[in-house]
Amino acid sequence: MRLLQAHATARPQEPALLTAAEVEAERIVALLRIAVALGLMLAMMLAIDSVRAIEEPHLRRQIGLAAATLLSYLTVGGLIYWAIGKGLFKPWMIWLAVLADCAFLLLNTFLSLVNTGVPGGALFVMPAVWMAPVVLAFGVLRLNPLRLAVMLVLIAAGLGWMILWQPPQTTPDLAGRIALSLASPPNVMRLVMLCLAGAVLVVAAVRTRNLLHRSIDEARQKANLTRYLPAQLAGRLAGGGLEALQEGRQQPMAILFIDIRGFTSWCEGREPHEVSTLITEFRARVEDVAGRTSGLIDKYIGDAAMILFEGEHAATRALDCAEGLLAEMAAWCRMREQAGDTGLAAGIGVHWGEVFSGVTGTPERLEYSVFGDTVNTAARLEQLTKVHGMALIASEALLQQAGAEPARNGWTALPAEVLRGRSQRLALFGKAQG
């Protein structure tokens, strides 16, 4: 038997969907960035109002630095939100937003140390460093472990370096400046930043939960659909694939029918569990060969099956499946005979041509089907196996499409047939049971 050709089945565009989800997450982060900046501005104004009498130059510079940072942060959030809304934001820009978050935090914290003259050993008395939980919460909301890990490494490395930093000269009244950083207004700012970080994590938890519910709903819907549709179509059901399948299309396809010979007479006097066991064994073999050749089992009809082949190398795969089933049925027959049971053969018909394919029915009962002369012809070829004493009959159209040479591949030329519903004779080739 020829080597089976690889068949790439349709899959959902997972990278595109993931990228779209990440951009949407960045839009939410941009909104939260704006909210955080506005919230901190309000808290800072209240803190300034409570210390209006303080005249220290370094404190005034600290307030100006914080105001400039928050305005810049607000601007970045607004620009990103606008760019996403206009479709100008590209996925790679998410990394710029990540680096901007880290840069704002680390730069503001370091400038606060430089401005106050406080050594790095007292780093965590600076209110700016308490922005770190907010920035990391943004990383959680992005649902990207790599970006969150990069943020963590950058922030940890930056703050670790600052801990070792020493001002170039001793700052006068260092104890007083540290004490001022631990006063009520800076503590209020710390509390506000902690609450904002918690709020961002709440948003992240809500979004994660919504995504989980959506995934569960989609999985349930897909599971319900695959109760009625072939499992191989499950990938097409994502992202509105059902609507496209319901519209239907005209396409070339290989159709294979297989039916157990003598099944009706074999069933006479048999117990139900014997019949059930036989059908299960038969279908297991059909599914194994169809799976290896990327065939789509359209339906089972009692002791018969209809298998479809579309896409790249469809005719070749159909022919591989037909010959694989021929060998599988022969082995099964010998195994049953050796066990002292009746050996059952099968008839296989396979044809190539245009079909209509699509999903029909109501939402309560959907069915994927193919229609047309090609389907009818394949079914009649399977029936002709009884007339010609063959186990497998294929049309010349299928063999030509598969590039097979009948004379060199053990095929027997059969008399051309005028099948019911057709006006022209159909060239046929057969193979006996091996």
Side-chain angles (χ1 to χ4, degrees):
M1 179 183 293
R2 64 181 58 79
L3 294 175
L4 302 179
Q5 301 290 338
H7 177 56
T9 56
R11 295 178 58 86
Q13 298 301 316
E14 295 174 0
L17 293 175
L18 184 59
T19 298
E22 289 182 341
V23 171
E24 173 60 19
E26 198 59 39
R27 186 185 70 84
I28 297 173
V29 169
L31 277 175
L32 290 173
R33 193 183 284 111
I34 293 171
V36 166
L38 292 175
L40 290 176
M41 283 181 180
L42 178 60
M44 187 177 69
M45 287 191 299
L46 294 176
I48 291 173
D49 186 67
S50 66
V51 294
R52 188 178 299 169
I54 298 178
E55 298 294 337
E56 283 86 347
H58 80 275
L59 185 56
R60 292 187 174 277
R61 288 195 301 271
Q62 193 71 13
I63 292 172
L65 174 63
T69 301
L70 291 176
L71 283 173
S72 300
Y73 208 57
L74 178 66
T75 302
V76 169
L79 285 174
I80 292 176
Y81 186 81
W82 173 83
I84 293 175
K86 294 293 184 180
L88 303 175
F89 191 86
K90 305 300 180 184
W92 60 267
M93 295 180 181
I94 297 175
W95 281 107
L96 296 182
V98 167
L99 295 176
D101 284 337
C102 297
F104 275 117
L105 166 66
L106 296 174
L107 185 61
N108 186 256
T109 302
F110 180 68
L111 291 178
S112 296
L113 287 177
V114 172
N115 177 60
T116 58
V118 173
L123 173 68
F124 290 96
V125 304
M126 295 291 102
V129 79
W130 285 73
M131 189 67 179
V134 180
V135 173
L136 291 175
F138 286 160
V140 173
L141 190 58
R142 289 183 173 106
L143 298 176
N144 186 305
L146 177 60
R147 293 193 179 104
L148 180 58
V150 169
M151 294 175 71
L152 180 59
V153 169
L154 290 176
I155 291 172
L159 295 181
W161 177 80
M162 288 182 214
I163 288 175
L164 303 176
W165 182 82
Q166 293 292 329
Q169 57 186 13
T170 303
T171 303
D173 193 24
L174 179 60
R177 293 190 178 188
I178 292 177
L180 185 61
S181 297
L182 296 174
S184 295
N187 282 334
V188 170
M189 292 292 291
R190 293 184 182 93
L191 180 61
V192 169
M193 283 187 276
L194 187 61
C195 291
L196 288 173
V200 173
L201 289 175
V202 168
V203 172
V206 170
R207 185 167 184 267
T208 303
R209 188 177 182 85
N210 289 339
L211 290 173
L212 179 60
H213 278 301
R214 189 186 308 169
S215 297
I216 292 173
D217 289 341
E218 290 177 354
R220 184 182 296 115
Q221 292 172 7
K222 186 177 292 186
N224 289 335
L225 287 171
T226 53
R227 291 173 59 192
Y228 306 117
L229 303 179
Q232 294 95 325
L233 294 177
R236 302 190 203 174
L237 302 179
L242 178 60
E243 287 74 12
L245 288 172
Q246 286 177 315
E247 291 178 3
R249 59 175 174 169
Q250 196 83 11
Q251 65 178 121
M253 192 179 285
I255 311 294
L256 184 151
F257 278 89
I258 179 171
D259 184 27
I260 298 178
R261 291 282 168 264
F263 177 73
T264 302
S265 59
W266 179 89
C267 288
E268 293 179 3
R270 300 278 180 173
E271 293 294 329
H273 74 87
E274 293 183 83
V275 178
S276 176
T277 300
L278 181 90
I279 291 296
T280 300
E281 291 179 0
F282 167 69
R283 293 184 177 181
R285 285 165 170 77
V286 169
E287 289 171 12
D288 177 58
V289 179
R292 287 190 275 117
T293 52
S294 299
L296 189 156
I297 300 176
D298 179 73
K299 60 173 66 70
Y300 288 110
I301 310 168
D303 62 320
M306 174 179 172
I307 309 175
L308 315 177
F309 298 85
E310 61 177 335
E312 188 177 6
H313 307 299
T316 302
R317 291 185 288 108
L319 197 54
D320 285 337
C321 183
E323 294 181 340
L325 287 171
L326 187 65
E328 189 69 33
M329 292 301 108
W332 187 37
C333 180
R334 288 192 297 270
M335 183 184 71
R336 290 180 56 82
E337 290 174 343
Q338 290 171 2
D341 207 338
T342 304
L344 295 174
I348 304 168
V350 59
H351 183 47
W352 169 269
E354 290 286 327
V355 300
F356 167 84
S357 64
V359 170
T360 58
T362 65
E364 288 73 27
R365 181 64 187 182
L366 295 171
E367 182 180 6
Y368 177 79
S369 295
V370 294
F371 309 94
D373 178 67
T374 300
V375 179
N376 298 332
T377 298
R380 288 169 188 150
L381 295 187
E382 180 272 314
Q383 295 167 6
L384 281 176
T385 58
K386 305 174 187 176
V387 177
H388 293 286
M390 293 289 173
L392 166 62
I393 291 182
S395 65
E396 184 180 46
L398 179 92
L399 295 178
Q400 288 180 345
Q401 184 66 29
E405 297 182 30
R408 297 179 58 185
N409 290 279
W411 291 90
T412 300
L414 303 176
E417 295 275 350
V418 179
L419 301 180
R420 188 172 70 251
R422 298 178 62 97
S423 59
Q424 296 181 344
R425 291 182 177 274
L426 186 67
L428 303 176
F429 293 85
K431 281 190 176 184
Q433 186 74 54

